[in-house]
Amino acid sequence: MHAGKLVRIERRWICGSVSMAQVWWQSRYGRPDDDLCWLDYHQPLGMPSFLTLDYVRSGRRAGYRSFVGACHVLHEIARLRGASAIVAHVSNGSISDRFLERMGWERHLQHWSGRHWIRRFYDGYPQAGVERYLA
């Protein structure tokens, strides 16, 4: 997403893991100074009904519109792939619990350390409305 508009969706054959050190380093020193937001997700092998949101990266000027748009596009991808849920470990304190709840996410695995969240689609998918994010 760039300035609230979908730029592209890429398929990568190899998904990389992201360490907490990498998240910290990039949030501190590696953020570009633009209105760009991208989500890195994958569908785990042997678990076709789930998507895992691995990483969210945004520029310093990325606003609410870009992040919400990226989330709505991810919901549409989940619908197209027939996923029942999206799971994420949210380590960035800038993404508030209140925002996640407003986007339909629920706390998950509360006995584990960290902030684990799930967005379930068992009762159907939200209205996509991705047309408003197309450039």
Side-chain angles (χ1 to χ4, degrees):
M1 299 293 290
H2 185 267
K5 297 293 180 185
L6 178 64
V7 177
R8 69 180 174 267
I9 298 172
E10 294 179 4
R11 178 167 184 165
R12 296 186 312 165
W13 292 100
I14 300 173
C15 61
S17 62
V18 178
S19 70
M20 289 301 291
Q22 181 182 357
V23 170
W24 177 83
W25 181 264
Q26 288 183 347
S27 70
R28 193 108 177 172
Y29 303 108
R31 288 183 74 188
D33 193 30
D34 58 9
D35 185 359
L36 181 71
C37 178
W38 86 67
L39 306 180
D40 193 4
Y41 71 92
H42 75 279
Q43 195 165 19
L45 290 175
M47 300 181 80
S49 62
F50 287 93
L51 293 181
T52 301
L53 178 57
D54 298 317
Y55 192 63
V56 177
R57 185 161 186 194
S58 62
R60 294 187 192 284
R61 292 185 304 187
Y64 179 80
R65 192 168 86 176
S66 290
F67 187 57
V68 168
C71 289
H72 286 167
V73 170
L74 184 61
H75 294 165
E76 180 65 8
I77 290 169
R79 184 188 69 77
L80 292 171
R81 288 181 168 239
S84 299
I86 304 170
V87 294
H89 175 208
V90 180
S91 60
N92 187 334
S94 297
I95 302 172
S96 71
D97 292 357
R98 183 173 166 239
F99 171 78
L100 290 167
E101 289 169 359
R102 194 169 47 227
M103 292 298 295
W105 291 74
E106 303 169 26
R107 288 298 298 245
H108 185 58
L109 302 173
Q110 294 186 20
H111 58 283
W112 288 18
S113 65
R115 297 169 56 214
H116 298 272
W117 290 82
I118 187 167
R119 175 64 166 98
R120 293 181 171 97
F121 302 110
Y122 303 144
D123 296 330
Y125 299 95
Q127 279 290 58
V130 294
E131 301 83 33
R132 63 183 157 185
Y133 303 112
L134 300 177

